[in-house]
């Protein structure tokens, strides 16, 4: 099973990804987590990425594509994977399409989770109290949501055209949302 989890910051992609990876026995690849690990390790990539992340801006597409090109070829991706936070722009989505072609792989579904802006801000501010993430503060949260609207939202149309998109309401109990996602995927596959 190869899945993309799409949706704005705070919609619950990370939480749902943890549950879906267990359900489908696949690896969870969060580009945000990978970049934060690079920052913690003090790598060149991490140093470069941090300046964008602290501002709530996206890290350049070529960096993300190279990073994911390498990651998707690791042995643990053979049985499938769940992409969380990637792709985030049309060039990234096109790059992923090319990469999958080269690997002779195809996606099974793209799950778009939805919630309104006020709810997202409320959740991210709450998360900021315990996450230790420097980008979970009001000014950067607003910027990240704006970036999502302009750069990532167009992916909903992009994947709609492939027939792989399922939209799922991201408001409700965590297990209930997981159930909605699984049912939407089963209905599609
Ligand atoms: P996240 O943990 O998914 O909220 O990502 C945190 C930050 O990492 C984002 O605000 C971006 O600066 C950066 N980031 C994560 N994934 C990507 C991506 N696919 N493209 C560009 N930047 C990304």
């Amino acid at each position: 099973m190869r899945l993309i989890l799409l949706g704005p910051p705070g919609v619950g992609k990370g939480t749902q990804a943890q549950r879906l990876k267990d359900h489908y026995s696949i690896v969870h690849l969060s580009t945000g987590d990978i970049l934060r690990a690079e920052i913690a390790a003090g790598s060149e990539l991490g140093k470069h990425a941090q300046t964008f992340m602290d501002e709530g801006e996206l890290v350049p597409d070529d960096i993300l594509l190279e990073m994911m090109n390498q990651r998707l070829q690791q042995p643990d991706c053979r049985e499938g994977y769940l992409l969380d936070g990637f792709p985030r722009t049309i060039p990234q989505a096109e790059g992923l399409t090319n990469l999958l072609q080269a690997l002779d792989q195809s996606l099974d579904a793209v799950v778009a989770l939805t919630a309104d802006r006020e709810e997202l801000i409320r959740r991210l501010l709450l998360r900021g109290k315990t996450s230790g993430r420097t980008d979970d503060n009001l000014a950067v949260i607003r910027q990240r949501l704006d970036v999502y609207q302009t750069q990532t939202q167009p992916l909903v149309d992009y994947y709609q055209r492939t027939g792989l998109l399922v939209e799922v309401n991201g408001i409700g109990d965590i297990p209930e949302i997981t159930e909605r996602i699984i049912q939407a995927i089963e209905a599609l596959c």
Side-chain angles (χ1 to χ4, degrees), residues 125-179:
L125 286 174
L126 198 66
R127 183 174 84 181
K129 290 185 180 160
T130 52
S131 69
R133 279 181 56 165
T134 49
D135 59 353
D136 280 343
N137 66 76
L138 189 55
V140 180
I141 287 170
R142 288 203 171 116
Q143 172 63 15
R144 286 158 61 207
L145 291 172
D146 290 347
V147 165
Y148 180 81
Q149 273 306 320
T150 55
Q151 306 203 52
T152 310
Q153 182 69 31
L155 296 188
V156 172
D157 283 344
Y158 180 91
Y159 285 114
Q160 189 106 56
R161 286 195 291 275
T162 66
L164 292 177
L165 189 85
V166 291
E167 285 194 90
V168 175
N169 179 0
I171 309 253
D173 289 345
I174 291 170
E176 184 188 327
I177 298 169
T178 312
E179 206 40 52

Side-chain angles (χ1 to χ4, degrees), residues 24-39:
Y24 290 112
S25 304
I26 52 180
V27 274
H28 167 208
L29 302 179
S30 154
T31 45
D33 285 351
I34 297 173
L35 290 167
R36 282 184 287 277
E38 292 285 342
I39 292 174

Side-chain angles (χ1 to χ4, degrees), residues 57-183:
E57 298 290 347
L58 295 183
V59 177
D61 290 334
D62 54 344
I63 295 182
L64 264 293
L65 281 168
E66 180 49 29
M67 193 174 96
M68 293 310 280
N69 181 9
Q70 290 181 18
R71 187 63 188 87
L72 291 177
Q73 295 187 55
Q74 299 300 310
D76 62 344
C77 290
R78 271 191 211 130
E79 302 305 316
Y81 42 80
L82 170 57
L83 302 180
D84 159 12
F86 176 85
R88 245 174 163 104
T89 64
I90 293 286
Q92 288 183 21
E94 290 171 346
L96 176 63
T97 301
N98 294 336
L99 182 57
L100 292 176
Q101 245 165 29
L103 295 173
D104 201 20
Q105 293 181 355
S106 56
L107 293 170
D108 293 289
V110 178
V111 179
L113 283 176
T114 59
D116 58 77
R117 190 176 169 101
E118 289 316 306
E119 172 68 10
L120 296 170
I121 292 176
R122 194 187 65 77
R123 288 187 191 177
L124 288 166
L125 286 174
L126 198 66
R127 183 174 84 181
K129 290 185 180 160
T130 52
S131 69
R133 279 181 56 165
T134 49
D135 59 353
D136 280 343
N137 66 76
L138 189 55
V140 180
I141 287 170
R142 288 203 171 116
Q143 172 63 15
R144 286 158 61 207
L145 291 172
D146 290 347
V147 165
Y148 180 81
Q149 273 306 320
T150 55
Q151 306 203 52
T152 310
Q153 182 69 31
L155 296 188
V156 172
D157 283 344
Y158 180 91
Y159 285 114
Q160 189 106 56
R161 286 195 291 275
T162 66
L164 292 177
L165 189 85
V166 291
E167 285 194 90
V168 175
N169 179 0
I171 309 253
D173 289 345
I174 291 170
E176 184 188 327
I177 298 169
T178 312
E179 206 40 52
R180 280 181 210 151
I181 297 174
I182 292 170
Q183 281 184 9

